[in-house]
Amino acid sequence: MQRSTPVDPTKMGTGRAIAVLTSGGDAQGMNAAVRATVRVGIYTGAKVYFVHEVCTSKHTHIRNKELKGGTVIGSARCQDFRSKEGRAKAACNLVKLGITNLCVIGGDGSLTGANEFRNEWSELLQILLKAGKITAEEAKRSSHLNIVGMVGSIDNDFCGTDMTIGTDSALHRIMEVVDAITTTAQSHQRAFILEVMGRHCGYLALVTALACGADWVFIPEMPPDEGWEDHLCRRLTYQRSIGNRLNVIIVAEGALDRHGKPITCDIIKNLVTKKLSFDTRATILGHVQRGGTPSAFDRILGSRMGVEAVMALLEATPDTPACVVSLSGNMAVRLPLMECVQVTKEVTKAMAEGRFEEAVKLRGKSFENNWNTYKLLAHVTAPDVKSNINIAILNVGAPCAGMNAAVRSAVRIGILQGHNMLAVHDGFDGLAHGTIEPMAWGYVGGWTGKGGSNLGTKRSLPASMIEEISLNIAKFNIHALVIIGGFEAFVGGLELVTAREKFEELCIPLVVIPATVSNNVPGSDFSIGADTALNTITTTCDRIKQSAAGTKRRVFIIETMGGYCGYLATMAGLAAGADAAYIYEDPFGIHDLETNVEHLLEKMKTTVKRGLILRNEKCNANYTTDFLFNLYSEEGKGVFDCRKNVLGHMQQGGTPTPFDRNFGTKMGAKAVLWLTDKLKECYRHGRIFANTPDSACVLGMKKRAMIFQPLFDLKEDTDFEHRIPKTEWWLKLRPILKILAKYKISLDTSETATMEHVIKKRGTV
């Protein structure tokens, strides 16, 4: 929403005081949220205080906390706060320090308690006045308390937000264990049962099941049907019969049957061992899921939420209800706190009353989409009636983690629709040379967790071999194409559509699924593979910073991939706490470099004697990585020394992150379901004929939803020379990077997030 009058962001907090506290269970990413709240609060001119395990103190230093798990200011479930006397004592502490803005990071219990505290604030002031603990002037000055919440919980059990702070990191811990278990289980032909946390929410279990291709998942929102024991045994037996050496069953800690009885690892283990005589092992993960360093996603999420929380506090009026800042798609939104709490309680009530379908819907669109995708992929028997449709899948461009997950999902959904699925090896070259073969259900078994491209991929574009491609489309009777890849996939798709005028064989529906570490495909805010690359860069930056911590007075200059797209450099800069990130989209000159050097010279006078500079590989043809290294080395003589690191192709490798596995799985499934509907539309006079613009689309994540956009419509928004979209949503996050690095810059506050209503929103998505 546009502001009527511009506001100077550096004066918004003048004369105001903000306290930030973490409460309840800890979660990775809380520190990033605390750091952002403190630094943005100070940037606005406000005084900022920590509440250390329910004790208030002025902030000291918060450097490099974004890379630590847990919460450095401590978290507790305070018993004193449950009594009015305890709350009056807390109110007195706040009044004495002039604090009227409270930022609470915690779960639904903590946020509900904070809201109750706000509601009885006036009453607490009267109690303190009568007791003579505060003066009338102090009471007047602190007449109103603003509260904004950020949800920090690995369970992702708070309705209204797609992801709570800590959830993604917990999934990283879980998938590390699942991947390790997978190797040992395959060696011995074992069935593994894994219990994950989540209290009464099945999100962690559900996404884990999707991300590892589990045979079965038990979640509290949707207990299994009566007779599930026999059904489970049939499915495990079938998996073994088609050659799978491994069975994986995921159990949420709050899983129940239809009668409300707990379903535990031991119950399932005894069942499988007794009925099937399978060698079975059970593992309960426990608190390892809360530990470790936060993922790149959680660091960025915490940072973004921290910024939004400060703005929400400073823009609040006495009539503004307490709100939570949350994530919807890739957008930061504000939601009324008690509406979210109400819906969260409705989920528990729906489960208790056996309204399980409603419970899944109440969890939100993200949870519902995950559940629907899991249900689709859980069926392992193909339909008896075949569609006689052949859908070919190819990977184009550079390889990236998550490509295989998208292929697996597309293949299996296609088979379940009755289609014949064809593998095209080596991109458009393979389509031209006829290296095409059928894929059965087992062909893609175990692909979800594998990095790179099992189909093989090349950067070649189809224009130079369009005739050969059209001949092979006819020869193999291909009715539709799924093209998974980066900018080459987008351009290649366009070339195929353009050639429809000359080659009738190309008049078939096609869909492009963005998959590239560069995240530069028009029509999508995110690409498969970018999250894995981002975590690789962030982890490397963490290690480099640790190295610099030992030597002191050292600045590291790190070059990232991405072509002309600065997504990786910017987001890694946010996640790793970089001092600067140079990218093509944000032009810079010698004066900017001078400012950055001076900033580092000043930083070396503080207790933190290290610096981190990120440079996108094609940000500037003249200001190369070597140039920056030489410049910083020369200007820092006697104060700091420099090292450089070109990360290179390690950013394309590795096993996919939970996000990329899940994202790839959902994209692959959605693409094939869309093609199935499009093929019905295009079936005329006994054959497929698709020549309309909407029969060739990019499937992308835009703001809050996965949508299909015609390739031709996206040409206007594409800079073909530099291989990037003309509009990139993440550029709005760059000022946050600079503010968190303590630069005195101007933050655009002309747009503010409006308060949305989760109850109305739930009915319309």
Side-chain angles (χ1 to χ4, degrees):
M1 187 179 79
Q2 290 291 128
R3 277 187 195 279
S4 52
T5 53
V7 176
D8 181 355
T10 61
K11 303 241 180 352
M12 283 177 73
T14 304
R16 313 274 292 274
I18 298 170
V20 55
L21 65 94
T22 54
S23 177
D26 66 312
Q28 309 96 316
M30 278 184 167
N31 289 327
V34 171
R35 172 179 177 263
T37 305
V38 171
R39 289 202 170 163
V40 175
I42 292 168
Y43 166 82
T44 63
K47 284 184 181 177
V48 186
Y49 294 83
F50 290 149
V51 180
H52 281 283
E53 292 171 306
V54 203
C55 302
T56 315
S57 70
K58 189 82 184 289
H59 98 278
T60 49
H61 61 86
I62 46 156
R63 298 178 184 94
N64 302 305
K65 303 304 182 200
E66 73 282 351
L67 59 81
K68 291 188 177 180
T71 164
V72 292
I73 60 173
S75 184
R77 293 181 170 95
C78 179
Q79 296 304 315
D80 289 350
F81 202 76
R82 295 179 188 273
S83 69
K84 185 156 282 189
E85 186 185 348
R87 292 193 294 277
K89 189 178 174 185
C92 185
N93 288 336
L94 295 179
V95 170
K96 290 295 179 185
L97 290 165
I99 297 168
T100 54
N101 299 283
L102 198 56
C103 179
V104 181
I105 308 168
D108 56 344
S110 305
L111 299 179
T112 304
N115 189 63
E116 288 171 4
F117 184 50
R118 177 184 188 261
N119 289 340
E120 63 179 16
W121 182 254
S122 298
E123 185 187 343
L124 294 172
L125 292 184
Q126 290 305 313
I127 291 169
L128 293 170
L129 262 174
K130 284 179 184 175
K133 292 188 177 178
I134 62 170
T135 65
E137 180 59 33
E138 285 173 329
K140 185 180 177 184
R141 203 168 54 236
S142 303
S143 61
H144 180 73
L145 180 69
N146 294 319
I147 284 183
V148 170
M150 286 182 266
V151 192
S153 165
I154 68 165
D155 303 329
N156 204 29
D157 58 352
F158 195 79
C159 293
T161 182
D162 288 350
M163 287 284 270
T164 56
I165 296 168
T167 305
D168 188 65
S169 301
L171 286 168
H172 275 251
R173 299 296 90 77
I174 294 167
M175 289 314 303
E176 285 162 11
V177 173
V178 170
D179 287 346
I181 280 173
T182 300
T183 52
T184 179
Q186 283 181 330
S187 304
H188 299 279
Q189 265 198 306
R190 281 182 177 148
F192 257 95
I193 304 152
L194 192 74
E195 182 187 292
V196 300
M197 291 174 96
R199 291 196 304 170
H200 307 297
C201 177
Y203 184 87
L204 288 178
L206 180 54
V207 175
T208 300
L210 272 177
C212 73
D215 298 298
W216 197 286
V217 65
F218 292 92
I219 60 170
E221 290 85 353
M222 189 58 75
D225 294 330
E226 296 287 351
W228 62 267
E229 296 91 344
D230 290 337
H231 188 180
L232 172 64
C233 290
R234 281 198 305 275
R235 184 174 297 175
L236 298 182
T237 305
Y238 176 78
Q239 289 289 356
R240 288 288 172 95
S241 72
I242 60 173
N244 288 339
R245 296 174 58 82
L246 163 70
N247 299 115
V248 177
I249 300 162
I250 307 294
V251 190
E253 64 179 347
L256 304 167
D257 66 13
R258 293 269 162 172
H259 305 289
K261 292 180 182 175
I263 297 175
T264 65
C265 278
D266 285 341
I267 289 170
I268 301 164
K269 182 184 175 184
N270 292 337
L271 168 72
V272 175
T273 307
K274 189 175 175 182
K275 275 204 153 191
L276 303 177
S277 301
F278 283 5
D279 187 4
T280 309
R281 297 287 187 274
T283 302
I284 298 173
L285 279 189
H287 280 72
V288 71
Q289 294 158 87
R290 287 192 190 276
T293 57
S295 66
F297 180 92
D298 273 331
R299 298 182 201 196
I300 294 164
L301 176 63
S303 298
R304 290 181 69 188
M305 297 301 101
V307 174
E308 191 62 37
V310 171
M311 293 302 161
L313 281 171
L314 298 181
E315 290 165 6
T317 67
D319 299 325
T320 308
C323 75
V324 285
V325 292
S326 76
L327 187 74
S328 180
N330 73 342
M331 297 174 69
V333 295
R334 301 175 192 174
L335 303 170
L337 169 58
M338 291 319 292
E339 281 189 24
C340 295
V341 170
Q342 181 189 331
V343 178
T344 304
K345 287 178 177 174
E346 282 177 24
V347 178
T348 308
K349 189 181 176 189
M351 288 193 290
E353 293 173 358
R355 293 180 284 117
F356 301 116
E357 293 286 349
E358 190 178 341
V360 169
K361 278 185 164 47
L362 286 167
R363 280 279 183 228
K365 203 68 181 170
S366 173
F367 190 98
E368 189 181 0
N369 286 341
N370 285 324
W371 175 248
N372 289 337
T373 306
Y374 169 76
K375 277 197 302 183
L376 282 169
L377 290 167
H379 299 287
V380 292
T381 48
D384 295 329
V385 181
K386 294 286 184 184
S387 67
N388 293 321
I389 291 291
N390 301 320
I391 298 178
I393 303 178
L394 60 154
N395 293 163
V396 176
C400 68
M403 272 184 164
N404 293 322
V407 172
R408 171 189 174 271
S409 156
V411 167
R412 292 194 167 176
I413 294 294
I415 290 169
L416 292 170
Q417 297 292 310
H419 308 325
N420 300 310
M421 304 305 291
L422 303 174
V424 180
H425 297 283
D426 302 326
F428 289 117
D429 282 17
L431 201 53
H433 300 140
T435 51
I436 300 167
E437 63 175 329
M439 289 186 280
W441 187 273
Y443 189 100
V444 290
W447 279 29
T448 311
K450 291 181 180 175
S453 166
N454 286 357
L455 289 181
T457 181
K458 286 190 176 178
R459 294 180 181 272
S460 311
L461 291 171
S464 61
M465 42 191 167
I466 211 82
E467 193 170 342
E468 294 91 332
I469 287 172
S470 63
L471 287 171
N472 276 322
I473 285 175
K475 179 183 175 183
F476 289 90
N477 200 21
I478 294 169
H479 301 107
L481 285 175
V482 178
I483 306 169
I484 302 168
F487 199 82
E488 291 88 355
F490 172 73
V491 175
L494 270 173
E495 289 181 0
L496 290 179
V497 173
T498 305
R500 281 175 172 178
E501 292 177 11
K502 290 184 180 178
F503 298 93
E504 200 177 291
E505 296 87 352
L506 300 177
C507 292
I508 57 173
L510 67 89
V511 62
V512 173
I513 298 177
T516 168
V517 300
S518 303
N519 196 31
N520 63 336
V521 179
S524 189
D525 292 343
F526 296 104
S527 295
I528 296 165
D531 186 68
T532 304
L534 187 54
N535 276 279
T536 301
I537 299 166
T538 305
T539 304
T540 306
C541 288
D542 288 351
R543 290 175 180 172
I544 284 170
K545 284 170 84 171
Q546 284 175 336
S547 156
T551 51
K552 308 289 186 194
R553 298 184 183 281
R554 181 162 285 176
V555 173
F556 275 90
I557 295 161
I558 298 172
E559 182 186 295
T560 67
M561 293 177 90
Y564 286 98
C565 180
Y567 176 83
L568 287 179
T570 297
M571 298 308 245
L574 256 179
D579 295 284
Y582 300 118
I583 65 168
Y584 167 77
E585 296 96 334
D586 190 0
F588 60 97
I590 197 67
H591 294 299
D592 300 294
L593 296 174
E594 187 181 8
T595 301
N596 296 149
V597 171
E598 287 170 359
H599 176 79
L600 282 169
L601 289 169
E602 286 300 309
K603 186 178 179 181
M604 293 299 160
K605 295 175 185 175
T606 68
T607 53
V608 176
K609 301 184 187 301
R610 61 183 176 273
L612 184 67
I613 305 291
L614 294 178
R615 179 190 175 274
N616 168 245
E617 61 184 347
K618 290 188 178 179
C619 65
N620 190 294
N622 297 311
Y623 298 139
T624 62
T625 302
D626 286 335
F627 176 90
L628 292 181
F629 171 72
N630 292 333
L631 174 73
Y632 276 85
S633 298
E634 180 63 29
E635 295 299 319
K637 267 185 183 174
V639 181
F640 60 79
D641 63 354
C642 278
R643 296 290 185 274
K644 65 179 175 182
N645 196 320
V646 178
L647 299 186
H649 284 75
M650 67 182 288
Q651 294 161 85
Q652 289 180 352
T655 56
T657 57
F659 178 90
D660 278 332
R661 298 182 198 203
N662 190 21
F663 191 41
T665 298
K666 287 196 281 195
M667 294 280 267
K670 198 170 181 73
V672 171
L673 292 174
W674 178 82
L675 282 175
T676 302
D677 291 339
K678 194 58 67 176
L679 284 161
K680 288 173 187 170
E681 282 179 33
C682 300
Y683 187 77
R684 296 189 195 97
H685 310 298
R687 68 191 187 99
I688 305 295
F689 186 79
N691 66 344
T692 56
D694 68 350
S695 63
C697 288
V698 170
L699 169 57
M701 168 72 85
K702 293 296 282 185
K703 291 186 177 177
R704 302 186 185 190
M706 286 187 193
I707 60 171
F708 292 88
Q709 297 166 90
L711 287 161
F712 259 105
D713 291 359
L714 294 168
K715 283 174 75 174
E716 288 290 310
D717 188 43
T718 305
D719 177 351
F720 285 94
E721 182 188 350
H722 298 103
R723 298 160 51 88
I724 53 173
K726 289 178 183 174
T727 52
E728 294 172 303
W729 68 273
W730 49 266
L731 285 171
K732 289 184 178 178
L733 303 184
R734 282 188 63 78
I736 298 173
L737 189 157
K738 293 172 184 176
I739 290 168
L740 296 182
K742 295 187 174 179
Y743 281 93
K744 291 181 174 68
I745 64 145
S746 178
L747 181 67
D748 180 9
T749 57
S750 60
E751 282 188 24
T752 64
T754 53
M755 185 83 81
E756 299 187 4
H757 292 278
V758 67
I759 292 171
K760 185 186 81 174
K761 177 183 154 194
R762 215 181 59 237
T764 56
V765 289

